[in-house]
Amino acid sequence: MRIDGSGGRRAAWAVAAFTGVLFTPQAAHPQTAEYLDFDALTRELRSVVDGSDMASMRSLGSSHEGRDIWIVEIAGGGAPVAERPGVLVVGNLSGDHVLGSSLALEAVRYLTSGEVDAGGTVFYVIPRLNPDGAEAMFAGVRSERSGNGLPFDDDNDGRVDEDPPEDLNGDGVITVMRVADPFGAYSLADDDERLMKKADAAKGETGAYTLYWEGIDSDGDGFINEDGVGGVDLDRSFQHAYPYWERDAGPHMVSEPEARALLDFMVSHRNVGAIVTLGHSDNLVTPPNSRGTLAAASMLDLQAYADASNADVFDVGVFRAPQSFGGFGGFGGFGGGGGLQLRGAQKGRDNDPGSGRRPSMTVHAADQEYFKAVSDAYKEITGISSVGVNREAEGAFFQYGYFQFGVPSFSTQGWGVPEPAEQEEEGEGDERPAPSRGGDEPAGDAKLLAALEAGGIEAFAPWTPFRHPDLGDVEIGGFLPYAVTNPPAAELPRLGRVHGEFVAAVAGMLPRVRIADTEVTNHGGGVFTVSVEVVNEGFLPTSLQHGQVSRSVQATTVQIQVPPEAVLTGAAKTARIASLEGSGGRERVTWVVQGREGSSIEVRLRAQKGGSDTTTITLR
């Protein structure tokens, strides 16, 4: 049973509880205010771990390019680590979200600082799951790269990585090219002419530009920069809502050694009771709504328009009949149609909607209050109340964590970019429409750019003319790589500190089971009634409702240590409780047993995500 049916009161209780118990307001030792490449991150992790008797560090495996995937385990004294409830933190799944590894590093520093009472809990922190992709941030020419180091045939032409971007104007970054084109789909945005919008014919608008990524057609197939370095975005490769046929999702689910190393860890560590990922999708600033769906995606239009120039890339290549080619690749939108695509299964062929139960795609109604409570805590601790971009969670690890692994699982970009416009009141507007894309209202790009510039952040390269060898006169400019999803390095100590506090707060919410009371009644003749009352002192239940639906979280067990034949009636020798509610939820288990007066009997309590307890009862 729930001792408090009010989500608001439960949330307030939870925030107060783990604010007072698990962390204190004294300052932790801040990390260096700079982004770290793989070698520097490794040195810093070793320094922090070596300075703590609570932490250890090992490699989960290696990336395609041979870099270690480090995991730090943090646990104080007490019960065996495998029997403790755990919190898993994973950062930098997407190569271009280097902020994630910085926040994870600082979480390690905070959790080992002595300010956190880690007794009874274990923290697992994987700062950088995608070390190969992250290295692109430290290259001489910066180009956002979300994928790992897998050489990949992005354009289906039998070759790999043969058409990467080029820094044509020599400014050290890869941005966007816009080309005057009477057949183009785009025009200058109304609210900021540095930006673009899609022309709306229904409103009498005509396009005047086509957009491409900065570079040339290196392989002569009519597309620009469609097959660059880097293969799979690991946060799009897991087993929930996996985006089949998408180039950055890999040849199949969990195809990559980095993703496989993480999944192997999950399978062998069922004590993980909550997951926090640091990535491009959000369910913390905006929790799932009353229908259990996440906030609408909001990505940069300017980059999406450049991506669109290669939208037909699968329709060409060596795996297509030569006579079906038409037009000049993607230039001007004249790519050929049809053609064989040799990636993924065919939609619907093996997926009959009428065969069996369909996979759950929304957060269970009974679990929503917990997501709301954690969201409230996140915003209170971090001060973050809005995000700049929010990618649709397809194949995301945190979604796997909830829908497949069955535990409360959260994702945050880790950086709040203030919106110039007033935000919607909390609790209103379940529809959550996507941001405006054209028309009279400011589009998402304009709002985000205004907010960044108001905060003194250089985020946009002004358009500059350039004579392109194939396209003629073009302009090169646009959002700077990494600027929208990775804040200035000076922000890292503060952001890292509050995210360390949040991770500690999540640990304070985990279920904590205890045997609260015992009772023995002697009926004579060696027959006794034994009762125990078990309680969950944590905020979260021992299993979310979806954990039961997916059958991925074991029932809480209460086991009396007598021979099976000694249990005469009442509960089974091993009683099972599907879920013990949090915030003081209680259950009483009673056995009638045959025994010798004066003998001692042990009773064991175990929750897969909530620890264990034992007590000894004397039959008298």
Side-chain angles (χ1 to χ4, degrees):
M1 58 174 256
R2 289 195 174 103
I3 63 171
D4 182 356
S6 165
R9 290 197 298 274
R10 287 166 64 84
W13 173 87
V15 171
F18 47 64
T19 299
V21 173
L22 280 180
F23 60 85
T24 54
Q26 291 86 4
H29 304 293
Q31 69 186 75
T32 302
E34 62 178 337
Y35 289 101
L36 304 176
D37 66 11
F38 176 78
D39 291 338
L41 177 65
T42 299
R43 288 193 298 270
E44 191 67 12
L45 283 170
R46 289 198 183 281
S47 175
V48 174
V49 169
D50 289 347
S52 170
D53 58 3
M54 300 169 56
S56 61
M57 174 175 161
R58 63 185 176 89
S59 176
L60 284 182
S62 298
S63 68
H64 275 283
E65 296 175 4
R67 297 181 176 91
D68 283 299
I69 302 163
W70 299 119
I71 182 169
V72 176
E73 181 180 294
I74 303 166
V81 169
E83 297 178 10
R84 305 184 191 189
V87 177
L88 172 67
V89 180
V90 187
N92 218 158
L93 295 97
S94 299
D96 53 351
H97 193 257
V98 184
L99 169 63
S101 55
S102 296
L103 300 184
L105 166 63
E106 183 61 12
V108 171
R109 195 189 310 275
Y110 177 78
L111 295 169
T112 58
S113 66
E115 298 183 61
V116 178
D117 178 10
T121 305
V122 58
F123 299 94
Y124 304 106
V125 183
I126 303 172
R128 183 170 288 176
L129 189 69
N130 191 347
D132 296 348
E135 287 300 284
M137 187 176 188
F138 308 97
V141 175
R142 302 180 95 193
S143 175
E144 287 187 357
R145 172 181 157 188
S146 63
N148 67 347
L150 174 71
F152 198 73
D153 181 12
D154 291 296
D155 55 355
N156 209 32
D157 67 353
R159 297 174 289 176
V160 296
D161 300 353
E162 80 281 356
D163 197 355
E166 292 89 9
D167 180 20
L168 299 180
N169 60 359
D171 62 356
V173 294
I174 301 298
T175 51
V176 170
M177 301 187 298
R178 65 181 184 186
V179 186
D181 180 359
F183 300 103
Y186 310 105
S187 60
L188 302 179
D190 300 323
D191 31 36
D192 187 336
E193 290 193 352
R194 292 177 296 175
L195 303 173
M196 309 297 294
K197 69 175 184 179
K198 192 167 186 177
D200 187 347
K203 296 181 179 179
E205 298 173 349
T206 57
Y209 291 90
T210 298
L211 277 74
Y212 309 96
W213 285 106
E214 181 181 0
I216 60 174
D217 179 15
S218 301
D219 56 357
D221 65 355
F223 294 92
I224 296 176
N225 305 152
E226 82 289 350
D227 199 352
V229 176
V232 180
D233 185 332
L234 302 177
D235 213 20
R236 284 168 61 78
S237 69
F238 290 92
Q239 308 100 297
H240 180 78
Y242 175 72
Y244 291 100
W245 311 286
E246 297 291 336
R247 289 180 291 162
D248 61 352
H252 55 79
M253 300 177 194
V254 200
S255 61
E256 303 310 290
E258 304 94 338
R260 173 61 65 183
L262 176 55
L263 201 64
D264 287 345
F265 173 83
M266 297 302 295
V267 170
S268 63
H269 289 75
R270 292 287 180 177
N271 62 319
V272 170
I275 296 170
V276 177
T277 67
L278 304 159
H280 288 310
S281 300
D282 170 70
N283 72 343
L284 277 172
V285 172
T286 306
N289 63 16
S290 61
R291 296 188 306 278
T293 59
L294 302 183
S298 176
M299 302 299 288
L300 292 177
D301 280 340
L302 193 62
Q303 295 182 355
Y305 298 156
D307 284 338
S309 67
N310 292 328
D312 295 334
V313 71
F314 279 148
D315 291 338
V316 301
V318 298
F319 300 123
R320 181 179 173 208
Q323 63 268 25
S324 63
F325 279 93
F328 180 53
F331 289 1
F334 294 108
L340 179 63
Q341 298 182 13
L342 300 181
R343 192 176 276 121
Q346 297 298 311
K347 274 186 178 178
R349 296 278 179 89
D350 304 311
N351 197 20
D352 178 10
S355 59
R357 179 170 181 160
R358 311 308 300 153
S360 298
M361 300 300 289
T362 57
V363 172
H364 196 287
D367 299 336
Q368 291 167 16
E369 64 175 305
Y370 298 109
F371 282 85
K372 175 65 165 56
V374 178
S375 171
D376 290 344
Y378 179 78
K379 288 181 283 191
E380 179 173 325
I381 293 168
T382 66
I384 298 173
S385 59
S386 65
V387 296
V389 297
N390 180 33
R391 187 172 72 183
E392 185 174 0
E394 296 179 311
F397 176 67
F398 81 97
Q399 292 285 73
Y400 159 82
Y402 176 74
F403 287 100
Q404 307 292 332
F405 198 73
V407 302
S409 192
F410 310 101
S411 181
T412 175
Q413 190 182 114
W415 177 34
V417 180
E419 293 281 352
E422 184 176 347
Q423 294 297 293
E424 187 176 44
E425 287 293 326
E426 184 175 285
E428 293 182 0
D430 272 345
E431 291 304 315
R432 294 182 187 159
S436 171
R437 293 293 183 260
D440 297 327
E441 296 182 6
D445 285 17
K447 288 182 180 180
L448 182 55
L449 183 55
L452 292 169
E453 292 183 334
I457 297 171
E458 183 182 3
F460 200 89
W463 296 102
T464 57
F466 184 81
R467 183 68 181 177
H468 193 277
D470 297 316
L471 302 176
D473 291 329
V474 305
E475 293 178 284
I476 300 176
F479 284 96
L480 293 170
Y482 302 98
V484 172
T485 54
N486 295 270
E491 290 287 300
L492 296 179
R494 179 185 65 83
L495 289 172
R497 163 74 186 195
V498 296
H499 282 83
E501 293 178 356
F502 172 69
V503 171
V506 172
M509 304 172 79
L510 292 173
R512 309 274 175 165
V513 296
R514 184 173 65 84
I515 299 174
D517 187 36
T518 64
E519 183 179 344
V520 177
T521 301
N522 188 342
H523 301 290
V527 177
F528 301 85
T529 296
V530 177
S531 294
V532 298
E533 187 172 72
V534 298
V535 60
N536 178 6
E537 296 177 337
F539 173 67
L540 291 166
T542 56
S543 174
L544 293 180
Q545 187 63 39
H546 184 73
Q548 299 169 59
V549 171
S550 62
R551 295 181 290 182
S552 52
V553 177
Q554 292 178 358
T556 297
T557 59
V558 189
Q559 186 180 75
I560 188 166
Q561 299 302 297
V562 298
E565 62 271 15
V567 179
L568 304 178
T569 187
K573 172 182 166 69
T574 302
R576 288 175 170 79
I577 304 170
S579 180
L580 188 59
E581 291 292 343
S583 306
R586 292 171 179 261
E587 292 280 349
R588 181 168 287 276
V589 181
T590 300
W591 302 267
V592 177
V593 300
Q594 183 82 47
R596 180 174 53 83
E597 187 171 356
S599 63
S600 296
I601 296 176
E602 186 180 55
V603 176
R604 299 175 182 174
L605 168 66
R606 178 184 178 273
Q608 189 181 48
K609 314 297 182 182
S612 60
D613 194 16
T614 62
T615 190
T616 300
I617 298 170
T618 301
L619 299 180
R620 65 172 84 245

